[in-house]
Structures are given as structure tokens and as C-alpha cells.
Amino acid sequence: MIRVLLADDEAMIRAGVRAILAADPEIEVVAEAGDGREAVDLVLAHRPAVALLDIRMPRLDGLAAAAELRRVAPETAVLMLTTFGEDEYIARALSGGAAGFLLKAGDPRELLAGIRAAAEGAAYLSPRIARRVIAELTGGRLTRAAAARDQIAGLTPREREVLALLGAGLSNAQIARRLHLVEGTVKAHVSAILTRLGARNRVQAAIRAYEAGLLDQEAAD
């Protein structure tokens, strides 16, 4: 049996979800909570395999409850119940310990599949949310890469060489030996690179090198 805790501040939602889960002989709802604080307390009392949490709840919302459960009950997987308009919370919830997201208006089969996946230690996103996440991640990555390439284009060939090695984690002395330069010259190149990229430090410059693909080129050479 997969033991599940259900938390939502709307009794009608809890009743509907409970009815869906009751139809599966391998899933048992062991407790219900009307807010996030009660959910955490009941998880500690019942130790379910999966906690199904609404995002917006009084006292302690689902995001905060997920983060706390990761700390006090890491053996309980957390699934978030959300509406489609709340998908901006996805990154926060996943970083806070949630194993996945389910849409309240989604197919009941997704709910059952998500609970099984979470109980087995896997992650699960409702297909509609997964498509949105992939599109946003891909679009953001491509946008950053294009912007970084535009910035890198303003560097001299030697500065691009220095930036690639800086991005690979080499010190000024190591870069000097690799490129057969004196260390003072490398330091001057690094200073010019930071200025041209608008980077505050070497870490930011290294990130630009990674986003622009310079590290891939360095590895290929």
C-alpha cells in the first residue's frame, strides 16, 4: 500500500481527490490536513510515503511545508497540487524538496501516476506543466547564450583565449604558461575582459564563457 497524506484548505477539493485515490486498491489516504502546519504535524505522526500538498494554504503554505518536510521527514515524497496559473512556483517548490507537480484540473490518471512515481523515488510533472517548463528553460537558455555570444564577439581573439581558460578555472599564472605570456599581460587581459563584458568578477566572466560555448571550444581544441 502507498500511504498518502492529503492537504488542501478546500474540503471539496480534498473530497474529490480522496475519491479518486480510493478507487485504487494500492493507495490509502492515512490523513487529511486543512493547512500546511497541520500537514507537517500529520506527516510526522503518520509517516506516509507521499504528501500531496496544495500550494496556497493558511498558516503554512505548500511551498514552506514542502521545504520543512524535506528537513524533518525526508523519507516522505512531496507532490504539489496546483492550478495552471501557479506554475511560476515550480522552480521554488522543486528546489524546496517537492518531487513534482500535479494540476487540480488534470486527468485523474495523472494523479495516480504521480503518486506512484513519487513513492518510487522518481519525479513527476503533469504533462501540461512539463511542456511549459521545458519551453521556459529552453527559451531562457537560448536567450542567455545568444546574449553571451554577442558580448564575446566584442573581444579580441587573444581575449577570447584568455576568457576560455579563465572559464575553465585556470589562474592568471596558469593562463600565462598555457599561452606563453607574462602574468602581468594576462592580468591586463582579464581586466579588459571584465570591463567589456560588464562582469564584476572572474566568476561572472566564467559564466559568460560557459553560456557562449567557449568552454566547449576549448575542450575541442
Side-chain angles (χ1 to χ4, degrees):
M1 294 291 291
I2 301 174
R3 292 162 49 83
V4 175
L5 172 134
L6 173 59
D8 196 298
D9 61 330
E10 296 186 35
M12 290 284 287
I13 296 294
R14 292 203 307 273
V17 173
R18 184 173 64 249
I20 294 171
L21 300 184
D24 191 312
E26 296 180 353
I27 297 176
E28 177 188 9
V29 176
V30 297
E32 294 183 30
D35 61 66
R37 174 52 56 198
E38 184 182 16
V40 172
D41 293 340
L42 289 175
V43 164
L44 293 175
H46 295 273
R47 300 291 176 175
V50 178
L52 193 60
L53 307 180
D54 183 25
I55 287 182
R56 296 182 179 179
M57 293 187 291
R59 296 180 66 199
L60 193 68
D61 66 27
L63 298 175
E68 185 165 342
L69 287 175
R70 183 180 185 179
R71 180 177 59 84
V72 300
E75 70 282 1
T76 295
V78 174
L79 284 174
M80 308 303 300
L81 275 173
T82 179
T83 63
F84 195 57
E86 294 173 331
D87 54 332
E88 70 270 18
Y89 296 123
I90 291 175
R92 286 177 57 197
L94 296 180
S95 64
F101 264 74
L102 295 164
L103 285 173
K104 288 183 178 180
D107 190 316
R109 290 173 294 184
E110 295 175 13
L111 175 61
L112 300 176
I115 288 176
R116 280 192 165 80
E120 293 170 1
Y124 186 89
L125 289 176
S126 167
R128 286 179 65 193
I129 291 180
R131 285 193 292 271
R132 175 72 68 87
V133 171
I134 290 170
E136 289 185 355
L137 289 177
T138 301
R141 187 180 302 116
L142 293 176
T143 299
R144 290 193 302 273
R149 286 194 296 270
D150 286 344
Q151 288 184 311
I152 298 306
L155 302 180
T156 67
R158 177 62 84 185
E159 287 170 345
R160 285 196 292 272
E161 288 181 317
V162 172
L163 177 59
L165 295 173
L166 183 157
L170 275 65
S171 66
N172 287 351
Q174 291 170 322
I175 294 172
R177 288 195 295 271
R178 179 75 68 88
L179 298 180
H180 307 292
L181 300 171
V182 297
E183 190 171 344
T185 300
V186 172
K187 184 176 181 180
H189 281 313
V190 171
S191 179
I193 288 168
L194 296 180
T195 299
R196 294 192 185 194
L197 296 183
R200 290 194 299 270
N201 51 45
R202 294 171 70 97
V203 173
Q204 287 190 352
I207 291 173
R208 301 286 207 294
Y210 171 77
E211 291 174 341
L214 283 185
L215 300 191
D216 295 335
Q217 295 174 23
E218 172 66 18
D221 294 342

